[in-house]
């Protein structure tokens, strides 16, 4: 398996941010896009997740940086199994990282989080896409 990286960015205007990243060469992945977030894919292994500030806040207790004055991101790395997720997170914690969020289980995805020694936020996760909830079909009148 080739690992993927998802770079999460807080944005104030989701449609405008999506237009910008599309213009730069990213494509939208509608499976992971809703009114609070959009997955923009650059290559097979590189994604940028655009998150409105409220949605971005679901992943960290830290204040969202004013990225016009400073930079901030949460770096996410997909691993091959839940065991690999736990191994990597445990290694980070043993090396001095701080857990910044409780482990999460979304049914189709298990996730662990840590903050490195300089305060950079990382999420490592395993995802089984076959368990991703399917949207309900709307009845047409």
């Amino acid at each position: 398996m080739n690992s993927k990286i998802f770079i999460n960015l807080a944005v104030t205007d989701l449609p405008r941010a999506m237009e910008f990243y599309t213009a730069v060469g990213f494509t939208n992945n509608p499976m992971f896009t809703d009114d609070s977030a959009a997955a923009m894919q650059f290559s097979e292994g590189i994604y940028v997740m655009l998150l409105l500030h409220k949605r971005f806040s679901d992943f960290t207790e830290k204040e969202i940086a004013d990225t016009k004055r400073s930079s901030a991101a949460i770096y996410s790395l997909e691993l091959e199994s839940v065991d690999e997720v736990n191994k990597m997170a445990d290694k980070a914690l043993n090396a001095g990282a701080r857990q910044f969020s409780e482990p999460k289980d979304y049914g189709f995805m298990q996730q662990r989080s840590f903050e490195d020694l300089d305060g950079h936020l990382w999420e490592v996760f395993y995802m089984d896409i076959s368990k991703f909830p399917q949207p309900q079909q709307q009845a047409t009148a």
Side-chain angles (χ1 to χ4, degrees):
M1 178 181 125
N2 292 328
S3 293
K4 295 178 177 71
I5 188 166
F6 289 75
I7 301 170
N8 298 275
L9 303 176
V11 301
T12 57
D13 184 331
L14 186 59
R16 188 179 69 153
M18 290 173 68
E19 288 175 13
F20 171 79
Y21 280 91
T22 298
V24 177
F26 287 68
T27 56
N28 178 250
N29 183 333
M31 177 181 270
F32 300 107
T33 298
D34 61 19
D35 60 348
S36 67
M40 304 301 292
Q41 185 172 355
F42 180 71
S43 70
E44 183 177 326
I46 300 172
Y47 292 81
V48 171
M49 289 298 301
L50 305 172
L51 306 161
L52 288 175
H53 281 227
K54 183 176 179 179
R55 183 69 175 129
F56 191 92
S57 294
D58 291 341
F59 297 100
T60 179
E61 296 175 4
K62 287 186 171 186
E63 179 180 337
I64 297 173
D66 177 353
T67 55
K68 292 186 179 185
R69 295 184 315 158
S70 60
S71 61
I74 299 172
Y75 305 102
S76 299
L77 183 61
E78 181 181 19
L79 301 176
E80 293 186 27
S81 67
V82 174
D83 186 51
E84 291 298 314
V85 166
N86 289 325
K87 284 180 187 176
M88 184 175 204
D90 289 343
K91 285 179 183 179
L93 296 173
N94 288 333
R98 181 183 76 85
Q99 179 176 293
F100 71 86
S101 180
E102 291 297 316
K104 295 182 173 92
D105 184 343
Y106 296 100
F108 71 97
M109 179 173 71
Q110 290 74 41
Q111 170 186 313
R112 298 266 312 266
S113 303
F114 60 88
E115 180 178 340
D116 75 11
L117 302 178
D118 293 302
H120 300 290
L121 304 179
W122 281 90
E123 294 175 338
V124 289
F125 66 94
Y126 170 73
M127 182 167 35
D128 181 348
I129 200 68
S130 71
K131 295 180 181 177
F132 189 77
Q134 298 300 312
Q136 297 290 330
Q137 295 290 335
Q138 291 183 339
T140 57

